[in-house]
Amino acid sequence: MFRTAASPILAAVGDAGGATGSAPDGESPVVSVDSVTADGCRIESTVSYSDDLRPFFDESPFYAEYGVDVSDLPESILTIPVLAQVCPVAWAAGADVRVPVADRRFLDSLETVGNALCAMYPFMQGGRVTAERAPEWDDVVSGRSETAPDEDEAAPTGTGAVSGTEPADGAGMLFTGGVDSLATYVRHRGEDPTLITIQGWVVGVDEPERWRRMRARTESFADRFGVDARFVRSNMLEFLDTAMLDARYQTHHDGAWYSAVGCGLGLLGLCAPLAVADGMGELYVAASVWEGMEPPPVVDGWDGRAMPWGTHPDIDDEVAWADSTGVHDLFELERQERIEVVADYARTHDPDLPVYSCSASEAAENCGRCEKCIRTALGLALVGLDPSDHGFDVGRESFEHAVERFEAGAWLNDQHAPYHWQTFQERLPADADLPMAGSDAFVRWLRGADFESMAGRPARDRLVRTVARHTPYPVYERVSPLYGSVRERLR
């Protein structure tokens, strides 16, 4: 058996085969990357899978679009984005993954990353990732091994033997304009990192107006900092049926599937062709959690350095391909310490530096009413900045709204959510004098608030997820209106 308790993920080179129908008794289900094509700036991949895995995938092909031409890149690089999306799903279900060709360094990193995820989440069953060919990048560049030895195809031609690639001496970073990504920029600004913003993650592929504003925002930051900006568009959250993944697995992790399990590998892998085309040797990912952040009760059996999360140094620092490596940044700093990094930069370099942290579904700017807007504005005020100088219109009505939402439990659905506000309670000075109307009353309420007792999902959400998790897929298929309504409810 290829899986063991010590090493549930194995990556290998051999016959990748195909995957259709149900897995025979005793054999693992399979996800197979059947084709990967590139046309200009767009990559498209078709995937097939065993029937057991049908609930977790949409019927559409996976695609990714970049602001640069990637059509001359070798197939071993073009397969990385889709592999990065399907592997965590396969590992959760105990399925194998098969692909015709994969970059050797990325294939090796999948084994390390997969074992890290399995250590974080005992519900993950592991699996084998098999490529028919896995060329070393130096051999690909020289034209020695992009094709199999017995094939008559000509090797790629161009600079080296791969056209369109640059020396990997630059840096890139995933960027939203929020506290974490701004702090990462501040720490690495001497490298002039390219800002990379992804449509399909924070902003959906079907939100053109919201995306227009977010893109303009990143371009404005790039001009402000004197660096380049790149943009990626992908349907990864439609290609994966994240609603069904949540329904099946959310009792075993905190937050949504892609954030809790898939985002580190998924977002870095998505950017691999861009990194190769633009010569980015390091790709920074700002941490979401931090060292010492305690796991919520839902996660049992992991004694790592922080709560399990999809982006984590045990994952991001191990993702690599060609001449590029992922770098997990800020892990040693709590969120308020990251705000202090941003605040120091604002005081010395950019007194009206905008900070965008809004989590409202329709907002491309800060709404001033959602949990993350209130939390970020309060954090800025506690380090001596006026939030109104940095894009936040937060006042008495905002704080009254916040108290109502907290006491209704609406802002505490994730089990780690109370942690942020409990940290505030520990940091509040005795004489807090904040520059926002209504903040005094809110601070008094905050000092005595019991977030643990207020936390918890609405009963309706728990019921829907329980039904979805325990209903076999064939029943969903027969009762499609119910299946559709459950999916939409979970989305």
Side-chain angles (χ1 to χ4, degrees), residues 226-243:
V227 298
D228 293 329
R230 293 295 193 192
F231 302 94
V232 180
R233 182 175 189 268
S234 177
N235 69 334
M236 71 275 191
L237 295 189
E238 286 72 34
F239 165 72
L240 301 179
D241 195 327
T242 53

Side-chain angles (χ1 to χ4, degrees), residues 77-102:
I77 299 299
L78 299 179
T79 58
I80 292 175
V82 68
L83 280 174
Q85 313 312 317
V86 304
C87 280
V89 178
W91 297 332
D96 294 347
V97 177
R98 297 173 180 171
V99 63
V101 59

Side-chain angles (χ1 to χ4, degrees), residues 35-386:
S35 69
V36 178
T37 58
D39 183 5
C41 299
R42 180 183 173 98
I43 296 172
E44 189 166 299
S45 307
T46 59
V47 175
S48 56
Y49 35 81
S50 302
D51 288 344
D52 313 51
L53 301 170
R54 287 182 62 197
F56 304 139
F57 292 94
D58 187 75
E59 295 180 357
S60 304
F62 167 82
Y63 70 80
E65 297 171 348
Y66 305 89
V68 298
D69 190 337
V70 295
S71 60
D72 286 334
L73 296 181
E75 187 180 357
S76 56
I77 299 299
L78 299 179
T79 58
I80 292 175
V82 68
L83 280 174
Q85 313 312 317
V86 304
C87 280
V89 178
W91 297 332
D96 294 347
V97 177
R98 297 173 180 171
V99 63
V101 59
D103 175 77
R104 166 65 75 173
R105 195 172 176 212
F106 185 71
L107 185 66
D108 291 343
S109 76
L110 286 176
E111 184 167 335
T112 305
V113 169
N115 285 315
L117 278 170
C118 287
M120 287 183 186
Y121 295 121
F123 75 87
M124 300 193 80
Q125 302 178 54
R128 185 170 186 165
V129 183
T130 306
E132 293 177 21
R133 292 175 284 124
E136 300 279 358
W137 180 244
D138 287 346
D139 291 340
V140 172
V141 171
S142 66
R144 290 195 296 268
S145 68
E146 177 62 11
T147 56
D150 58 348
E151 291 176 343
D152 295 328
E153 302 175 36
T157 59
T159 304
V162 179
S163 62
T165 61
E166 301 292 337
D169 54 5
M173 60 169 292
L174 301 185
F175 188 82
T176 63
V179 166
D180 297 338
S181 61
L182 282 173
T184 285
Y185 169 75
V186 169
R187 296 219 315 188
H188 299 283
R189 64 186 185 278
E191 302 173 50
D192 292 329
T194 297
L195 311 183
I196 303 171
T197 301
I198 297 171
Q199 183 181 13
W201 175 226
V202 177
V203 176
V205 292
D206 57 350
E207 298 180 285
E209 178 56 26
R210 204 172 159 223
W211 172 245
R212 182 192 66 77
R213 288 184 287 173
M214 188 171 189
R215 180 179 177 125
R217 192 168 80 196
T218 298
E219 290 171 337
S220 176
F221 272 112
D223 290 343
R224 197 178 196 108
F225 299 148
V227 298
D228 293 329
R230 293 295 193 192
F231 302 94
V232 180
R233 182 175 189 268
S234 177
N235 69 334
M236 71 275 191
L237 295 189
E238 286 72 34
F239 165 72
L240 301 179
D241 195 327
T242 53
M244 287 295 103
L245 287 164
D246 283 341
R248 174 62 182 85
Y249 295 111
Q250 196 171 41
T251 53
H252 303 292
H253 61 74
D254 196 25
W257 165 269
Y258 204 75
S259 297
V261 181
C263 66
L265 176 61
L267 296 179
L268 282 168
L270 184 66
C271 294
L274 174 63
V276 173
D278 270 7
M280 299 176 191
E282 293 182 318
L283 196 58
Y284 293 100
V285 181
S288 297
V289 300
W290 49 85
E291 193 168 18
M293 188 175 182
E294 294 182 5
V298 70
V299 179
D300 184 29
W302 189 59
D303 57 358
R305 294 172 287 164
M307 68 171 286
W309 203 242
T311 173
H312 186 281
D314 291 353
I315 297 171
D316 302 346
D317 289 343
E318 303 299 333
V319 179
W321 59 84
D323 290 331
S324 303
T325 304
V327 180
H328 188 86
D329 194 46
L330 304 172
F331 184 61
E332 75 280 9
L333 301 182
E334 294 185 0
R335 179 177 171 82
Q336 192 62 19
E337 293 171 325
R338 299 170 194 176
I339 288 179
E340 291 171 359
V341 170
V342 174
D344 288 344
Y345 176 81
R347 292 189 192 100
T348 56
H349 292 82
D350 199 342
D352 60 349
L353 176 73
V355 180
Y356 295 99
S357 293
C358 191
S359 59
S361 60
E362 299 301 322
E365 308 299 327
N366 294 322
C367 71
R369 288 175 58 84
C370 70
E371 185 270 345
K372 204 166 184 183
C373 275
I374 304 296
R375 173 159 42 102
T376 305
L378 183 61
L380 291 169
L382 286 174
V383 297
L385 297 184
D386 186 338

